[in-house]
Amino acid sequence: MIPVNAGLQEQRSYNFGYLNEVTKRMLRRAILKAVSIPGFQVPIAGHEMPLPPGWGTGGMQITAALIGRSDVLKVIDQGADDSINATSIRRFFERVTDCRTTSSTREATIIQTRHRIPEERLSEGHIIVLQVPLPEPMRSLEPSETVTRRLHAFQDYGMLYVRLYEDMVRLGDAGGGTNHPVLVNGRYFAAPSPIPTFDNHKLDRSPALMLFGAGRHRRIYAIPPHTSVENLSFRDRPFVVRKVEGRCSVCGSTESYLDVISDDNGISGFVCSDTSFCATRRIGEPVGSRA
Amino acid sequence: MLVAIRGGEQAIENAERLLIEQRRGDPAISELSVEQIGEQLSLAVDRTMNEGALYDRHAASLALKQAQGDAAEAAFLLRTFRATLPRAGYSEPLHTASMQIERRITPIVKEAPGGQYLGATYDYIHRLLDEKPTGPDKSPISTDNESDPIIAPHLADRLARDGIAEKLPSANSGADIFDITRDPVMYPANREVRLQSLSRADEGFLTGLANSTLQGYGENFPLVTELRVGDVAVDFTIPELGFAVTIGRVTLSECEILNKKLDVQSDEPRFTRGYGLSLGRSERRAMAMAVNDRALKGRDLGEAVQCPIEDEQFVLSNADGVEAAGLLQSLKLPHYVSFQAELKRLRDIQAKHLLRGENSQ
């Protein structure tokens, strides 16, 4: 008979980075493949993380597979380090690695992020890990995975352009608000994850490595450093970057992406969505790191 | 009003402390033990093991306790525990024909070889809430190991031999089997991928889908060939020994169904089959799984895929309760950047509409 408490006897602490080494190796292989074929969605097996699927588990799997003892991790959610889910993910990696974490973009080597790309200039040492809810840019137009895979293979992106045209005709506006599809390295269209279109240009020829992890959909894709990234658009109707016009009431920035702050009387002001950027401007130096 | 949900470690710690208090409930009432849950809420434990994809009664009972009895949360806890366990290897294919039967019914034939055993079932109990103590008030009727173990051959095998039911290929050895926990699931998916996904799927979702086809969405109305519950030996080939030894016994529920849809592609038309297997005493789940399995076989049999239950991507990519709950609940995460970006787009479009209206006047 199997003892009733089988499995609970092994009171080992979790492996460095939570995932076991075999799983990490499978993920690293997928990441290498993703980097080799920019924009292509590489399938991975699903590995349960202690956060629910849909809460950044794709990003967490990438981070867990890559993080090493010399890494410094930054986690942001909607641009903010102190957003509650970012705090939760950062705490998780503090618990399962002995890595240093930081809120400074400059200091970090791995930045896991949801829905934003940091304002500060990224550099070659940076790995940006984006959490992706839906990796397939054509999914809302074509539900079948078999069909969209074939369309990618034939580089048949007609339906994306038709949707763009229809939006233009019906709404008079062709730009998306978030998650506007991008053409990576002139070959594959990819979903940039729900970043605002304001952030899209940061993907183009970025010196940082951009990795995208979709946990629930079990896909990893990548934009390697210095890779060309174009926004889905027509040549005669250029892509429009949308941004709320205003000035950060904390640091005075007008060029950063701003969150609207409302009170009972309506809009009362603006504040930088990127808290690290805002703090750096305010103090004039990066905010302190955490041990 | 847009308010960022922000809060540091203190907020998370406080939330956890509040949760611990809420989970314990009134301290004046004695605390449930894991053993009590395992013994007295055993069907909830079985469901947790199925959806948590791990046969471990103790861990599943603990998960239920920690999740305040929430089936979805308990399954999730068990899954993450499972994800960290070292993998010893694959067992030999289970031989459910050698199951030590505690319950077996064969609704399509009056007398099946091996006999029928009602076992413990709610089927014919009147569902009336009863405040009386639930303990046995008479001498126990279960015979445990006194009588000889009951073994019965599978009725479906007999029907296949007789040219009535579809013939199935024999079981693969473990090494050739696709493993959804190690390999990416791709569509079209083969049957082992489908069965593995169904076996850990949310029971409510499977039951609902099965119901949809019983109600006429797709012609998949089945007949139950056989339903059996009992203990099966797990054999494992230990490399150092070079032969298989029995490493334990598991309680399983197994269901075979027949579908009057014939396999028209084969030389000889036969009734097609569906299969369900689940951990513990969970026959409703095994039945739902069998109905889903048969409906999803349509593509292999050259049938038209018309209804949700027949669409494998629809079923498999939505069936996992842990994943579905995760995505739904992720809507609670802050979305102010996304909302604001979409709001700006809406305002731009509205402004253009206004402009157009003015121009046309």
Side-chain angles (χ1 to χ4, degrees):
Chain A
M1 288 290 283
I2 300 174
V4 282
N5 58 353
L8 283 186
Q9 290 301 303
E10 299 148 41
Q11 284 291 359
R12 315 171 300 131
S13 60
Y14 288 114
N15 189 33
F16 183 90
Y18 174 76
L19 293 172
N20 64 57
E21 294 303 317
V22 178
T23 306
K24 282 190 195 173
R25 197 183 307 152
M26 294 196 300
L27 285 165
R28 287 180 195 138
R29 217 181 283 151
I31 293 167
L32 284 174
K33 185 171 176 184
V35 171
S36 312
I37 319 172
F40 174 75
Q41 298 167 44
V42 181
I44 53 166
H47 309 286
E48 276 84 5
M49 303 300 283
L51 256 61
W55 293 60
T57 54
M60 287 171 81
Q61 287 179 61
I62 293 180
T63 302
L66 294 181
I67 198 164
R69 288 184 204 283
S70 58
D71 277 309
V72 180
L73 177 69
K74 170 181 165 77
V75 185
I76 48 175
D77 187 324
Q78 308 264 304
D81 292 275
D82 59 351
S83 188
I84 198 155
N85 199 46
T87 304
S88 153
I89 293 173
R90 187 169 51 242
R91 260 167 52 116
F92 170 71
F93 281 109
E94 281 167 359
R95 199 159 144 187
V96 296
T97 71
D98 42 23
C99 286
R100 218 151 56 81
T101 57
T102 181
S103 56
S104 154
T105 301
R106 251 174 274 171
E107 214 180 15
T109 56
I110 299 176
I111 303 175
Q112 181 169 333
T113 168
R114 172 174 171 269
H115 297 192
R116 276 311 310 276
I117 293 173
E119 305 285 1
E120 280 169 85
R121 258 186 68 80
L122 300 172
S123 62
E124 273 174 2
H126 279 130
I127 298 176
I128 310 297
V129 179
L130 285 117
Q131 301 168 197
V132 179
L134 193 64
E136 178 46 65
M138 291 181 278
R139 184 59 70 237
S140 59
L141 308 169
E142 169 53 60
S144 163
E145 172 71 20
T146 314
V147 173
T148 49
R149 277 220 321 275
R150 196 185 307 130
L151 293 173
H152 278 295
F154 288 114
Q155 221 180 340
D156 181 352
Y157 294 122
M159 64 169 65
L160 286 176
Y161 287 97
V162 171
R163 158 58 72 86
L164 193 66
Y165 173 77
E166 286 177 345
D167 279 358
M168 211 176 276
V169 171
R170 268 192 296 202
L171 306 170
D173 187 293
T178 55
N179 208 359
H180 189 78
V182 291
L183 182 64
V184 181
N185 202 29
R187 175 59 183 87
Y188 288 100
F189 264 106
S193 87
I195 56 172
T197 52
F198 175 82
D199 280 344
N200 275 28
H201 74 277
K202 296 175 188 164
L203 299 170
D204 184 32
R205 295 185 169 79
S206 167
L209 168 62
M210 308 270 180
L211 297 172
F212 297 78
R216 232 172 49 82
H217 287 272
R218 301 190 166 87
R219 295 288 185 276
I220 287 175
Y221 51 104
I223 302 175
H226 309 293
T227 304
S228 93
V229 174
E230 301 155 64
N231 295 301
L232 172 70
S233 64
F234 292 114
R235 231 166 277 157
D236 56 343
R237 293 291 174 101
F239 174 75
V240 198
V241 175
R242 257 181 257 278
K243 179 180 172 304
V244 176
E245 294 303 329
R247 176 183 284 273
C248 172
S249 54
V250 181
C251 75
S253 164
T254 52
E255 72 270 28
S256 62
Y257 195 80
L258 298 171
D259 289 339
V260 178
I261 304 295
S262 318
D263 60 19
D264 293 348
N265 305 317
I267 293 178
S268 64
F270 304 94
V271 63
C272 290
S273 131
D274 184 336
T275 49
S276 162
F277 174 78
C278 193
T280 309
R281 277 176 53 94
R282 209 167 54 228
I283 320 167
E285 60 185 49
V287 288
S289 63
R290 251 165 284 199
Chain B
M1 184 161 147
L2 282 173
V3 179
I5 306 170
R6 287 184 180 168
E9 320 225 333
Q10 196 56 50
I12 296 179
E13 273 163 28
N14 290 346
E16 193 170 350
R17 277 177 47 201
L18 271 176
L19 183 69
I20 290 169
E21 272 179 37
Q22 191 195 73
R23 174 162 60 212
R24 179 58 184 87
D26 184 350
I29 294 171
S30 59
E31 189 181 339
L32 261 179
S33 75
V34 173
E35 290 71 27
Q36 282 173 327
I37 294 170
E39 289 298 315
Q40 294 169 35
L41 295 176
S42 61
L43 298 188
V45 173
D46 288 341
R47 178 165 182 179
T48 304
M49 292 200 302
N50 277 299
E51 291 172 16
L54 183 69
Y55 195 99
D56 183 336
R57 298 203 72 83
H58 180 85
S61 308
L62 185 60
L64 269 171
K65 185 179 177 191
Q66 195 177 324
Q68 299 173 267
D70 179 349
E73 190 65 33
F76 182 26
L77 282 168
L78 206 56
R79 288 267 189 101
T80 52
F81 172 57
R82 177 194 201 280
T84 62
L85 293 177
R87 177 180 299 261
Y90 296 97
S91 76
E92 294 299 306
L94 295 183
H95 202 244
T96 52
S98 315
M99 175 184 279
Q100 282 189 25
I101 303 254
E102 67 177 57
R103 167 165 164 78
R104 178 192 190 227
I105 52 170
T106 53
I108 59 166
V109 293
K110 215 167 179 182
E111 289 191 20
Q116 302 202 55
Y117 299 88
L118 201 51
T121 176
Y122 283 100
D123 283 352
Y124 304 100
I125 311 292
H126 298 145
R127 268 73 156 209
L128 299 169
L129 263 182
D130 192 352
E131 288 263 24
K132 270 188 295 189
T134 49
D137 47 3
K138 293 172 189 149
S139 59
I141 64 155
S142 59
T143 45
D144 278 345
N145 301 324
E146 285 162 26
S147 57
D148 288 335
I150 303 157
I151 312 283
H154 279 126
L155 180 61
D157 284 349
R158 164 84 170 272
L159 296 178
R161 269 200 308 279
D162 292 348
I164 298 166
E166 179 190 357
K167 226 191 273 174
L168 298 177
S170 56
N172 283 343
S173 72
D176 311 328
I177 292 272
F178 186 98
D179 181 343
I180 61 164
T181 67
R182 292 165 79 79
D183 307 307
V185 172
M186 302 290 278
Y187 305 105
N190 63 22
R191 187 157 181 246
E192 59 213 44
V193 173
R194 299 196 301 256
L195 286 171
Q196 286 172 38
S197 305
L198 292 177
S199 73
R200 52 161 62 186
D202 179 72
E203 185 176 315
F205 186 81
L206 289 185
T207 310
L209 276 175
N211 187 57
S212 76
T213 202
L214 300 186
Q215 303 266 23
Y217 289 91
E219 291 172 73
N220 292 298
F221 202 99
L223 293 169
V224 171
T225 315
E226 177 173 345
L227 188 62
R228 54 168 66 194
V229 181
D231 284 3
V232 177
V234 179
D235 293 347
F236 183 72
T237 303
I238 294 166
E240 288 83 353
L241 297 179
F243 55 86
V245 292
T246 299
I247 55 167
R249 302 188 71 80
V250 289
T251 305
L252 297 174
S253 305
E254 187 186 47
C255 177
E256 279 260 16
I257 59 157
L258 273 192
N259 190 305
K260 64 182 175 187
K261 261 191 195 173
L262 307 178
D263 179 4
V264 286
Q265 286 185 328
S266 67
D267 311 332
E268 180 195 14
R270 291 169 177 225
F271 291 130
T272 48
R273 291 161 67 175
Y275 181 75
L277 183 72
S278 51
L279 309 179
R281 298 182 180 99
S282 45
E283 59 190 57
R284 187 197 315 120
R285 177 181 188 88
M287 291 175 74
M289 180 176 167
V291 174
N292 275 272
D293 171 49
R294 169 58 194 88
L296 291 174
K297 274 166 80 177
R299 185 173 45 77
D300 302 343
L301 298 169
E303 298 165 3
V305 173
Q306 288 166 324
C307 297
I309 192 176
E310 297 165 343
D311 181 335
E312 64 182 14
Q313 192 188 332
F314 179 85
V315 175
L316 303 189
S317 68
N318 292 303
D320 193 297
V322 173
E323 284 181 6
L327 184 69
L328 176 69
Q329 299 201 89
S330 77
L331 298 176
K332 292 183 284 190
L333 291 173
H335 280 80
Y336 49 87
V337 168
S338 333
F339 175 66
Q340 201 171 290
E342 298 297 345
L343 186 64
K344 183 76 179 75
R345 178 170 189 238
L346 174 70
R347 294 294 189 212
D348 288 356
I349 292 170
Q350 284 173 340
K352 274 180 192 155
H353 265 248
L354 204 64
L355 208 62
R356 269 190 199 174
E358 281 166 5
N359 289 346
S360 64
Q361 274 169 11

